[in-house]
Amino acid sequence: MADSEQPGAAFGNLWADAVGPGGGGDRDRCDCFDQFRRQQPRNVRFHAERQDTSAAGWHHLLALIEEAAADGREVFRPLTELSPDERRQIVTLPPTIAKLVAVKHLVLYGSNLVRIPPEIGAMTALEEFSPYTSRRLHWFPYELTRCEKLRRSTVSTRSVYGNYKQRPSFPRLRPGPDAADRPDLGDLDPAVWGATAVRTCSVCDQPISEGGPHQVWISLRVATDVLPLLVNACSPACVEALPSAAEGYVPTSHTGGLSVH
């Protein structure tokens, strides 16, 4: 569902059960681009925050995921169980979300997230995805397309790269590394790569070798919304295998930068 929210707009109680203790005052400010007015495109970068895996909120979230996996629940609202301080500590989700194979609706309303891990693609029962008002969440992993049952989404589309209203730029992606510039795929700079680790191909799910990752952007309709998806491919062949982009957006995969929005 496209986001029509304006600053100061008043809404009903649609998301009352998605907000945890303390309301929504537990997010860091994001000024990557103006999310409400169209301006000249400017250079943008990925959020650089790394997840503090020693934080109380992280450990609480890990426990909540284990509980949800064990009881086979179909609706998962983890942030409602966290305190305001704990919610602010969460900038990504753990890879263990891959265990949530029974979850049909994932609610991340008003999160402080800056990225979603590719393991979301293992949530094969997912039918509805609601990260609404997660204003620092500007892109999604291509692996989200593996959730073949996903039919409904509620995303703050004004907050995503290349959205049809503001057309903000995409971060410029690095070319595939050469022999002299091979990163440690288990310890990447998230400000450069969008993640701290890349292990498998977004397209074929095979391990990324020393020749990768080959990163590209593509805008595709996922459930209700057109989303900017980051692809970490193992080879140029997997990049070539990507589908055509959504109508009205950049028609092919691309590497971002000021010339593309």
Side-chain angles (χ1 to χ4, degrees), residues 37-174:
R37 288 175 293 275
R38 188 163 186 167
Q39 298 181 328
Q40 282 292 109
R42 67 185 190 188
N43 282 315
V44 295
R45 298 190 73 190
F46 292 109
H47 279 273
E49 295 96 321
R50 290 177 180 265
Q51 178 62 54
D52 179 1
T53 57
S54 68
W58 181 254
H59 288 283
H60 194 172
L61 179 57
L62 289 173
L64 292 171
I65 290 171
E66 293 300 322
E67 290 176 13
D71 65 29
R73 75 187 64 175
E74 294 185 353
V75 179
F76 189 43
R77 300 182 178 93
L79 302 182
T80 64
E81 304 295 323
L82 305 182
S83 71
D85 284 345
E86 288 178 330
R87 287 198 296 273
R88 193 169 188 174
Q89 293 166 0
I90 305 301
V91 298
T92 186
L93 299 179
T96 52
I97 60 170
K99 297 181 180 182
L100 302 177
V101 294
V103 169
K104 294 182 178 181
H105 187 189
L106 177 60
V107 182
L108 300 169
Y109 178 91
S111 78
N112 201 38
L113 294 170
V114 299
R115 65 187 72 94
I116 298 282
E119 285 80 5
I120 196 172
M123 297 178 62
T124 51
L126 196 64
E127 297 176 359
E128 187 168 0
F129 180 45
S130 304
Y132 192 52
T133 71
S134 296
R135 297 257 172 231
R136 305 202 310 150
L137 193 55
H138 305 315
W139 61 276
F140 298 86
Y142 183 79
E143 285 82 350
L144 189 60
T145 62
R146 297 178 188 171
C147 301
E148 296 182 354
K149 296 181 180 180
L150 186 57
R151 294 293 181 268
R152 296 182 298 280
S153 57
T154 313
V155 176
S156 290
T157 51
R158 291 178 181 273
S159 302
V160 300
Y161 299 135
N163 72 74
Y164 76 100
K165 293 179 180 177
Q166 280 72 43
R167 293 294 192 188
S169 302
F170 294 77
R172 178 71 177 175
L173 301 175
R174 293 183 55 168

Side-chain angles (χ1 to χ4, degrees), residues 217-221 226 242-254:
W217 293 108
I218 190 165
S219 296
L220 295 177
R221 182 166 295 281
V226 174
L242 292 170
S244 299
E247 185 177 355
Y249 290 77
V250 182
T252 62
S253 64
H254 59 88

Side-chain angles (χ1 to χ4, degrees), residues 180-201:
D181 184 29
R182 288 175 178 162
D184 180 350
L185 298 182
D187 185 23
L188 298 172
D189 181 354
V192 175
W193 299 94
T196 56
V198 175
R199 295 184 173 87
T200 58
C201 178

